Amino acid sequence: MKKLIPSIVIVLIVSMSSMGITNAFSYSNNSDTKASTQATSNGYGLQWMKEYGNSPWTDARYQGPQPIGDCDNDGKNELLISGRDCTIRVMKWYENNQTYSQVYALHPPFYPFKLCSAGGMAIGDVTNDGKNEIAATWYTTVYKYSAAKYRIIGVNPYIFFHNGGSSDCLIGDCDNDGKNELILSGSGYGSTSPVGQITVFKWNGLYLKRVAEWKDPQANGNVFMAGLGDVDDDGENEIVCAYENKLMVLNLDAQNKVFIPTEISIQYHGQEFPFGVVCKDCDNDGKAEILLSYCDFTERNDPRITIFKWNGTGYPIQFDIRWPGGEPVIEGIDVGDTDDDGLNEVVVGAGLTHILQWNGTTYVEEAVLPTFGWMAVVCIGDCDNDGKNEINAGNVDVESGQQFTEWVFKYGWNT
């Protein structure tokens, strides 16, 4: 299924021109701050890069919040790369050659007779058998590695068959029963579609069963990328998603299979579109915050992120920052330890990729990596199996003449 994108975004993708570089500004906590847009790699090196071409119809790169993990269960992680080419590439690091190589290519069901792209994909234990699978948004499909091959073990086309679209997928325990679910984000096309912003599937031993759904009764906006984590420090996970002018925390009532929503007060309005949500520990206190990416199209493509933190009664803003003149911050956000210092960083793709870390008072910029375009991919994980994380990045929109590109950056690499 193709990603759902508001019409104004499509127009801007086609007509967007290059933006000028702005000056650097200082940071301040819990306020609207501006950041530098000049590359300062500060110890990060380019471990790997691949250019896919300049066609927006086949070469653009798509995201997935969990593209790094052991998907063939050999004890070593792989890296998934997706895009508008009906293919999910399974990449493996080869130490002798010091490079990532494609070891398998996954295609959607009915390929090549039915062509569609995976807006999102994820690695995780969907079947709860202790081994990982690969999930993809096309027809809500699950692949399992066996007998030296990835095989489709589950397909549930409910979203597609009911005039809906899937922008991304996430594997995790959203009903807090100790077992994983497969969470699809997107929306229905038009008011007559029953498809909601969030659809939850669970493996019942034989097939993927749809077990819960969130459909906002007041809005039909699309969720590009949802997050999952314990954002209110109650010991249970919540799904957090953003669409139109809403940021919602969804607590699943497991007994009745219905979501109990909490709406967070947000700052964006009108032409400001939310794109991605990550629920991870941004400030290294052991508790998950909510990281939201969005872009204000009324302010010259003013890309922005906001971090919300639970205070016991609500979700006030802990930090807010924007990059005037940068490229839109879409799904290209993640949190993790990127420089092996034992502390998490916040990584944001706004054309250039910005690395921020909490210093006890605010978030300060540690490095800026030389990427470009609309960053639909920014993910942190151990791609090369050395026990240290890398940063995977990729773009979904570029200027005329530029190549759609995927990168892997590593701290200390050739520096």
Side-chain angles (χ1 to χ4, degrees), residues 69-78 92 123-125 129-134 143-146 150:
D70 183 7
C71 56
D72 61 4
N73 299 289
D74 67 346
K76 295 183 178 181
N77 288 340
E78 286 75 40
K92 187 181 286 286
I123 298 172
D125 186 2
D129 65 349
K131 297 181 179 180
N132 288 334
E133 291 83 32
I134 296 174
Y143 300 81
K144 193 172 189 67
Y145 189 79
S146 64
Y150 289 92

Side-chain angles (χ1 to χ4, degrees), residues 319-347:
F319 185 71
D320 185 89
I321 191 171
R322 57 193 177 95
W323 289 270
E327 304 286 1
V329 178
I330 47 178
E331 297 98 330
I333 53 174
D334 203 1
V335 178
D337 183 3
T338 62
D339 59 4
D340 199 37
D341 65 350
L343 300 172
N344 285 343
E345 281 78 31
V346 174
V347 185

Side-chain angles (χ1 to χ4, degrees), residues 13-317:
I13 289 176
V14 175
S15 63
M16 185 178 66
S17 59
S18 182
M19 310 306 274
I21 295 178
T22 61
N23 295 325
F25 293 84
S26 62
Y27 299 100
S28 62
N29 187 34
N30 195 21
S31 63
D32 177 9
T33 64
K34 301 176 182 180
S36 169
T37 56
Q38 301 199 10
T40 52
S41 56
N42 286 354
Y44 290 87
L46 179 61
Q47 186 185 47
W48 180 82
M49 181 185 75
K50 183 174 177 61
E51 295 176 330
Y52 287 86
N54 55 19
S55 169
W57 310 114
T58 58
D59 302 328
R61 300 296 93 199
Y62 276 157
Q63 87 293 341
Q66 299 165 319
I68 301 169
D70 183 7
C71 56
D72 61 4
N73 299 289
D74 67 346
K76 295 183 178 181
N77 288 340
E78 286 75 40
L79 167 66
L80 303 183
I81 296 178
S82 182
R84 292 192 189 134
D85 50 10
C86 302
T87 304
I88 296 175
R89 293 172 168 83
V90 182
M91 310 293 292
K92 187 181 286 286
W93 173 257
Y94 285 91
E95 184 66 25
N96 290 339
N97 298 327
Q98 294 286 283
T99 191
Y100 295 89
S101 296
Q102 180 177 312
V103 295
Y104 212 89
L106 303 182
H107 298 294
F110 317 119
Y111 179 88
F113 306 104
K114 182 68 175 179
L115 302 180
C116 57
S117 299
M121 74 294 190
I123 298 172
D125 186 2
V126 178
T127 62
N128 295 290
D129 65 349
K131 297 181 179 180
N132 288 334
E133 291 83 32
I134 296 174
T137 55
W138 48 40
Y139 298 99
T140 311
T141 302
V142 177
Y143 300 81
K144 193 172 189 67
Y145 189 79
S146 64
K149 186 177 181 179
Y150 289 92
R151 305 173 188 275
I152 294 176
I153 63 168
V155 178
N156 191 321
Y158 166 82
I159 294 174
F160 179 78
F161 284 177
H162 288 81
N163 196 30
S166 303
S167 295
D168 221 324
C169 63
L170 186 67
I171 301 168
D173 183 9
C174 67
D175 64 1
N176 299 288
D177 67 347
K179 298 181 179 180
N180 288 333
E181 287 76 44
L182 177 57
I183 304 160
L184 276 290
S185 59
S187 74
Y189 295 104
S191 59
T192 60
S193 173
V195 177
Q197 282 84 11
I198 298 292
T199 308
V200 179
F201 299 88
K202 198 178 190 77
W203 183 258
N204 68 359
L206 297 174
Y207 59 89
L208 285 172
K209 180 180 180 181
R210 183 171 58 95
V211 295
E213 190 167 46
W214 167 251
K215 182 175 175 61
D216 193 314
Q218 299 175 332
N220 195 39
N222 180 66
V223 174
F224 287 97
M225 186 176 82
L228 177 71
D230 181 9
V231 296
D232 60 3
D233 198 32
D234 66 348
E236 296 187 344
N237 288 332
E238 292 79 35
I239 296 173
V240 184
C241 59
Y243 50 94
E244 290 195 352
N245 291 323
K246 293 187 175 185
L247 177 60
M248 305 295 292
V249 178
L250 304 177
N251 195 328
L252 182 58
D253 179 344
Q255 182 175 355
N256 297 308
K257 303 298 182 183
V258 295
F259 283 105
I260 301 170
T262 300
E263 185 171 352
I264 298 176
S265 176
I266 45 83
Q267 290 186 342
Y268 63 85
H269 299 285
Q271 300 303 312
E272 300 180 32
F273 288 96
F275 282 96
V277 172
V278 168
C279 303
K280 294 181 181 179
D281 183 9
C282 300
D283 62 5
N284 297 292
D285 68 347
K287 301 176 182 180
E289 286 75 47
I290 298 171
L291 172 62
L292 169 69
S293 66
Y294 56 104
C295 182
D296 183 356
F297 290 110
T298 66
E299 297 292 337
R300 297 184 65 239
N301 283 349
D302 205 3
R304 192 171 187 170
I305 64 165
T306 305
I307 299 174
F308 301 86
K309 186 176 184 66
W310 176 253
N311 66 359
T313 59
Y315 297 92
I317 294 174

